[in-house]
Amino acid sequence: MGNVPTTVKHCLSYEQLIEDYPWLRRWLQEDKTITGHAYPEFVKIVEVGPRDGLQNEKEIVPTGVKIQLIDMLSGTGLSVIEATSFVSSKWVPQMADHTDVLRGIQKASNVQYPVLTPNLQGFQDAVAAGATEVAVFGSASETFSKKNINCSVDESMLRFEEVINAAKKRQIPVRGYVSCALGCPHEGHIEPSKVAEVAKRLYEMGCYEISLGDTIGIGTPGSMLKMLQRVMKDVPINALAVHCHDTYGQALPNILTALQMGVSVVDSAVAGLGGCPYAQGSSGNVSTEDVLYMLHGMGIETGVNIAKVIEAGSFICSALSRKTNSKVAQARSTACCDESL
Amino acid sequence: MATVMKLVHRSALTSLMGQHCLSFSSAAAHRAAGIRAGQALPGKVKIVEVGPRDGLQNEKTLVPTEAKIKLINMLSESGLSVIEATSFVSPKWVPQMADQVEVMKGISRKPGVTYQVLTPNLQGFQAAVKAGAPEVAIFGAASELFSKKNINCSVDESLQRFDEVMKAAKEAGVPVRGYVSCVVGCPYEGKVAPEKVAHVAKRLYSMGCYEISLGDTIGVGTPGSMAKMLEAVTKEVPVSALAVHCHDTYGQALANILVALQMGISVVDSSVAGLGGCPYAQGASGNVSTEDVVYMLHGLGIETGVDLSKLMDAGAFICRTLNRKTSSKVAQAACKL
């Protein structure tokens, strides 16, 4: 260190480093660690069951049931519940009652109820119905974008820009989603740089958070790590969330990897609602109950009461006449002994 | 400092300073090294396939001997190097394993594949050796209550029984694998102290078991409890002699396996098609599916030697025989895409 000016030596001290670069604290294991990794102390769960979950269920759920589900979820401690989608009912009949749902739910004061708004029309309808937060869905795959919303990624960004600008005028926060972050049903492998490009655009346009979605659940901790490493170069880690599908059973290890990288927002769906439209009969969204079980078991706080989520899950599964996809809910309902740990 | 900052834009210094600062601060360097070590994964993982024994033992339908033999033969062709073939336990207790001798004699033994069998006592060991078993396994428990309810004796008494098996195995030159059940939780006792697990694992290892498989028998573990347990056990038994046997009853198996790999474990037990439910939670799943484990490991660039599509064929075969759906998500998804 002999050639380093005295004035600069001060800034090379460890304590000064930590103060100047808070991200370093995590890298240097100041926080709680398991296996040498620092984990967030708190994880925010974004509950997507009522929208992403129900949207992918075949049976049309009555409005009253949707409202009851959301009201039950509002009482569990969840702070974000994706309530519905202002998309054309011609495309998504399940969400045709979007206005009635948004107006019918009991909005808890400490809960946000984002709604999907694919375009300006949807946004205006959402605002008229009382929406206070919206979401837009981009894709890291050109083919998926064309097949899903009938336009290229660039064209979709122009649409979203209109929504985001309109939202800014009304001070309505916008969450951005990037689909196919770990693979596309049409294109196969997706380059992490493409995911980063789309995430960065959404972030720079004004989305406060970008949820990276493994749309077909094909990702593993290996591909999750590579993708996040690349995206984190362009979007701050505290603005990132992961939306993992459990189609190949990889959701929890993928989420664990994301937590190890510093992500502290996780999307999930009560009872694992919502299958995979690309693999008939397979599961889709990861179950909120299973995610909570893992997080709580690691000493990570979420503010959510798992027993109440299980109840909400049980309610919606009865209404849908289907079994839960949550292993925790299945085990708890039949376990002969109380294994609460 | 202020003078320097005026001359150079602060953000331009960030990465440069970060790198230089890490090397100048010894505390920082030590911690950074710790993280790299924590993230290092084994280049190869050995899968111990327990479907034909642990899996089938927990299936209600009795499987004909020929179907068991065909299953094991198909698994042998998939690249697996260790297959738990059967159990030399009294058929009175475990009717599914009554055809133990026929199975051992009927399978095509592929070179390079080890066919392990369970031997709960000396009598079982002798019958196993007579039937041509090249390797045996013994099962201890980290929970006293579980030991009493499962094999009708205390943990210490069970270890004494195993001592007899160990001595006989040493004389016969037969390797012995040890299992410890209830390593993160017990259906009767609840939480299990990591020190107790370490104690039982150490005893089995000192007695001569070449490998100790740590079993989350009721699948209640999470990366948190798994890491704490492994920290305690690795103080007493070398990590290269440890394996994890995770149940997926609460959906935590793959996350638990990932943490175990990050702690240096490179042997993982699993069951084709996730055969074998949980006897303590009716209808809930038990063993983690080999297909789902292999999918994760290959995605991480870890070699297993296993051909996933041949493995799925074996899983499809046994599920047809049992007239049940696979518990493997990979198998479910792959055939629907």
Side-chain angles (χ1 to χ4, degrees), chain A residues 244-258:
Chain A
C244 297
H245 278 199
D246 205 39
T247 317
Y248 288 75
Q250 309 295 306
L252 288 190
N254 290 345
I255 289 166
L256 183 68
T257 300

Side-chain angles (χ1 to χ4, degrees), chain B:
Chain B
M1 185 68 184
T3 316
V4 175
M5 284 301 113
K6 274 178 198 162
L7 292 172
V8 184
H9 193 274
R10 196 173 175 83
S11 63
L13 274 177
T14 302
S15 56
L16 195 63
M17 275 178 66
Q19 285 185 18
H20 282 103
C21 291
L22 279 175
S23 59
F24 291 144
S25 160
S26 60
H30 171 73
R31 288 184 180 109
I35 290 174
R36 282 196 291 278
Q39 285 173 342
L41 295 173
K44 275 186 182 161
V45 161
K46 177 177 83 177
I47 302 274
V48 173
E49 172 57 50
V50 301
R53 201 286 304 169
D54 192 10
L56 292 184
Q57 183 165 317
N58 286 298
E59 291 287 330
K60 288 189 185 137
T61 314
L62 275 175
V63 176
T65 308
E66 311 77 57
K68 284 179 187 143
I69 288 170
K70 184 170 179 188
L71 172 65
I72 293 169
N73 290 345
M74 288 181 85
L75 291 170
S76 297
E77 291 306 314
S78 71
L80 288 159
S81 60
V82 185
I83 300 170
E84 198 181 52
T86 187
S87 176
F88 281 78
V89 69
S90 161
K92 198 172 56 173
W93 298 119
V94 188
Q96 182 76 277
M97 300 286 129
D99 56 0
Q100 58 213 200
V101 176
E102 292 92 331
V103 167
M104 274 320 281
K105 288 189 168 159
I107 55 176
S108 303
R109 305 232 191 148
K110 191 172 168 85
V113 183
T114 304
Y115 300 91
Q116 244 175 50
V117 303
L118 227 70
T119 52
N121 49 40
L122 189 60
Q123 185 178 356
F125 173 78
Q126 285 158 350
V129 168
K130 197 168 163 198
E135 188 171 307
V136 302
I138 55 177
F139 253 88
S143 150
E144 286 295 343
L145 267 176
F146 187 85
S147 188
K148 288 207 173 86
K149 291 203 184 239
N150 210 35
I151 53 174
N152 210 21
C153 64
S154 72
V155 171
D156 275 343
E157 283 163 354
S158 73
L159 292 173
Q160 276 165 21
R161 258 187 229 173
F162 299 145
D163 220 8
E164 296 183 309
V165 174
M166 295 305 308
K167 286 193 174 104
K170 267 183 198 152
E171 272 164 34
V174 172
V176 183
R177 188 185 207 232
Y179 283 85
V180 183
S181 326
C182 297
V183 298
V184 261
C186 168
Y188 312 108
E189 284 184 14
K191 269 190 188 165
V192 174
E195 295 67 37
K196 179 79 180 185
V197 183
H199 168 75
V200 177
K202 184 181 179 179
R203 289 261 325 248
L204 287 169
Y205 186 68
S206 317
M207 273 161 44
C209 292
Y210 75 90
E211 194 169 88
I212 313 297
S213 173
L214 305 165
D216 179 9
T217 306
I218 49 172
V220 285
T222 63
S225 51
M226 178 62 88
K228 283 189 186 123
M229 181 274 296
L230 285 174
E231 260 178 59
V233 176
T234 49
K235 287 180 180 153
E236 307 292 346
V237 179
V239 74
S240 55
L242 292 173
V244 288
H245 183 112
C246 297
H247 278 199
D248 204 38
T249 317
Y250 287 75
Q252 309 295 306
L254 288 189
N256 291 345
I257 288 167
L258 182 61
V259 157
L261 296 176
Q262 289 174 337
M263 293 184 72
I265 303 277
S266 62
V267 184
V268 175
D269 298 1
S270 57
S271 174
V272 62
L275 290 179
C278 179
Y280 305 96
Q282 272 304 318
S285 63
N287 287 305
V288 67
S289 310
T290 306
E291 298 93 316
D292 298 0
V293 173
V294 168
Y295 185 89
M296 180 175 80
L297 296 177
H298 290 182
L300 280 164
I302 294 173
E303 282 178 37
T304 62
V306 178
D307 179 328
L308 185 55
S309 81
K310 286 186 178 170
L311 180 66
M312 287 201 284
D313 285 345
F317 162 73
I318 192 63
C319 287
R320 275 195 307 270
T321 309
L322 285 164
N323 198 24
R324 62 158 272 179
K325 273 180 71 177
T326 180
S327 287
S328 156
K329 288 208 162 179
V330 168
Q332 277 171 41
C335 70
K336 305 279 174 50
L337 274 171

Side-chain angles (χ1 to χ4, degrees), chain A residues 98-258:
Chain A
H98 41 60
T99 300
D100 296 332
V101 167
L102 201 54
R103 288 203 173 134
I105 55 175
Q106 312 258 12
K107 294 193 187 175
S109 57
N110 51 349
V111 183
Q112 279 299 321
Y113 300 91
V115 300
L116 232 71
T117 51
N119 48 41
L120 193 59
Q121 176 71 56
F123 174 78
Q124 286 158 351
D125 293 343
V127 169
T132 52
E133 184 174 318
V134 300
V136 294
F137 251 86
S139 166
S141 154
E142 284 295 342
T143 314
F144 189 84
S145 188
K146 288 203 176 90
K147 290 196 182 246
N148 210 36
I149 53 175
N150 211 20
C151 65
S152 71
V153 172
D154 276 346
E155 283 161 353
S156 71
M157 291 292 135
L158 292 174
R159 266 186 223 174
F160 301 148
E161 205 166 20
E162 289 186 314
V163 172
I164 293 169
N165 289 340
K168 270 180 194 162
K169 287 188 187 143
R170 291 177 175 274
Q171 290 172 320
I172 288 178
V174 183
R175 189 184 206 233
Y177 284 85
V178 182
S179 329
C180 298
L182 296 178
C184 169
H186 315 291
E187 288 183 19
H189 174 72
I190 295 291
E191 279 300 324
S193 54
K194 182 73 183 183
V195 183
E197 184 194 311
V198 177
K200 185 180 179 183
R201 275 185 78 175
L202 287 168
Y203 184 69
E204 284 174 349
M205 279 183 345
C207 291
Y208 75 92
E209 194 169 88
I210 313 296
S211 174
L212 305 164
D214 181 11
T215 306
I216 50 172
I218 213 163
T220 63
S223 52
M224 174 63 85
L225 181 82
K226 284 185 189 135
M227 184 275 292
L228 282 175
Q229 274 175 341
R230 182 58 189 85
V231 175
M232 278 161 60
K233 286 183 179 164
D234 292 338
V235 180
I237 192 101
N238 55 11
L240 292 175
V242 287
H243 184 112
C244 297
H245 278 199
D246 205 39
T247 317
Y248 288 75
Q250 309 295 306
L252 288 190
N254 290 345
I255 289 166
L256 183 68
T257 300

